[in-house]
Amino acid sequence: APALRIRDLRKTYDNGVQALKGVSLDVLPGDFYALLGPNGAGKSTLIGIVSSLVNKTAGEVSLFGVDLHAQRAAAMRLMGLVPQELNFNFFEKPLDILVNYAGFYGIPRGEALVRAEEELKRALLWDKARTMARTLSGGMKRRLMIARAMMTRPRLLILDEPTAGVDIEIRRGMWQTLKEINAAGTTIILTTHYLEEAESLCRNLAIIDHGVIVEQGPMRALLAKL
Ligand code: ADP
Ligand code: ADP
């Protein structure tokens, strides 16, 4: 089954805005997939629905064959979400932030410590494991968000505009961490309005505008058309 399968997804907000007007897409397991589009296109709405933060108006969504509507808890266990805003406690240490997060998901402490070491190393943060998070650089804080989302070992990692408002050096560091996570087998979907980001990371993408998918396919095929 696809890592993410969406059929005729529609969202009309209470104020009448039609943010999604019948979106369908498949993301295959192992893919690194970009949802590219300008501000207001509907990217955050789509990610919000897939991560159960926003209610859909109509349509179907399933993760690895598990229907998001019928089996919400089971579907949610398959995914990890990296929100746009930094939302960890700046007065805690990265190791504690990761271990406490795992505890919230019922992962035993011993196992959480093993995973935290692995994730902090992959995000190049192991030497900062016991440093107050407040003192980390902007790029380190962003990578900490990614490391934390990986603590539950999601099969699908979703990032909403992970690099919005960050400079190119920070972006490249995050890209490296994401590439390693994908190479190790995790499917990744990110939204972005930077073509450069989609180009350097993603194998497949969809371009969304005004709530409609306007292009969809392999990155190479799309670049050839531009
Ligand atoms: P960004 O584009 O940086 O993600 P937005 O300014 O689009 O941020 O949205 C910020 C918040 O306001 C989000 O939670 C979004 O759902 C909400 N929002 C955006 N547009 C509207 C709107 N027209 N009416 C009500 N809420 C909105
Ligand atoms: P993107 O993430 O691509 O910038 P969004 O999904 O945030 O797009 O927004 C799509 C459309 O829905 C925009 O017109 C936006 O103003 C509107 N919108 C987003 N969130 C809300 C909300 N909570 N209430 C009303 N309208 C919203």
Side-chain angles (χ1 to χ4, degrees):
L4 176 65
R5 179 180 186 275
I6 296 181
R7 287 296 175 276
D8 201 21
L9 187 62
R10 294 167 190 275
K11 174 64 183 180
T12 304
Y13 283 106
D14 292 344
N15 61 359
V17 172
Q18 288 181 277
L20 298 174
K21 301 170 186 167
V23 165
S24 297
L25 57 84
D26 286 312
V27 178
L28 297 181
D31 204 354
F32 201 139
Y33 192 97
L35 195 60
L36 180 70
N39 277 328
K43 305 183 297 296
S44 295
T45 300
L46 190 149
I47 295 302
I49 291 170
V50 172
S51 51
S52 287
L53 300 169
V54 174
N55 289 317
K56 68 186 181 196
T57 302
E60 289 170 32
V61 180
S62 62
L63 280 76
F64 300 95
V66 179
D67 187 89
L68 184 61
H69 193 74
Q71 296 173 267
R72 189 181 127 148
M76 295 302 286
R77 276 197 292 276
L78 299 168
M79 62 152 284
L81 179 69
V82 179
Q84 228 183 68
E85 6 26 275
L86 301 174
N87 64 356
F88 52 81
N89 186 341
F90 277 31
F91 294 92
E92 284 180 15
K93 297 164 186 172
L95 186 64
D96 297 329
I97 290 169
L98 266 53
V99 169
N100 292 341
Y101 183 82
F104 181 77
Y105 285 91
I107 296 160
R109 188 173 169 83
E111 171 66 16
L113 284 165
V114 170
R115 292 190 191 187
E117 178 172 348
E118 189 180 316
E119 296 307 332
L120 288 169
K121 283 181 174 166
R122 181 153 61 185
L124 304 180
L125 289 170
W126 182 237
D127 60 330
K128 303 288 178 188
R130 294 174 175 85
T131 307
M132 192 77 85
R134 175 175 52 85
T135 67
L136 301 180
S137 72
M140 291 174 185
K141 288 184 177 118
R142 294 271 155 195
R143 297 201 303 277
L144 180 57
M145 295 286 289
I146 297 171
R148 186 183 61 176
M150 289 305 296
M151 286 297 288
T152 61
R153 301 258 163 98
R155 291 175 65 192
L156 172 64
L157 183 68
I158 300 179
L159 304 98
D160 192 9
E161 302 245 3
T163 61
V166 307
D167 67 37
I168 186 67
E169 279 311 307
I170 294 179
R171 254 191 274 163
R172 294 227 165 97
M174 295 173 70
W175 292 354
Q176 191 51 45
T177 299
L178 292 173
K179 279 179 180 170
E180 286 178 25
I181 288 169
N182 180 244
T186 304
T187 309
I188 300 183
I189 301 174
L190 58 80
T191 70
T192 184
H193 55 261
Y194 298 113
L195 178 62
E196 190 204 354
E197 182 152 82
E199 205 181 325
S200 41
L201 286 173
C202 302
R203 279 184 289 277
N204 292 291
L205 81 167
I207 301 178
I208 184 168
D209 194 17
H210 290 96
V212 176
I213 303 267
V214 292
E215 292 275 4
Q216 196 167 3
M219 188 74 220
R220 273 177 290 110
L222 251 83
L223 285 175
K225 279 200 215 170
L226 294 179

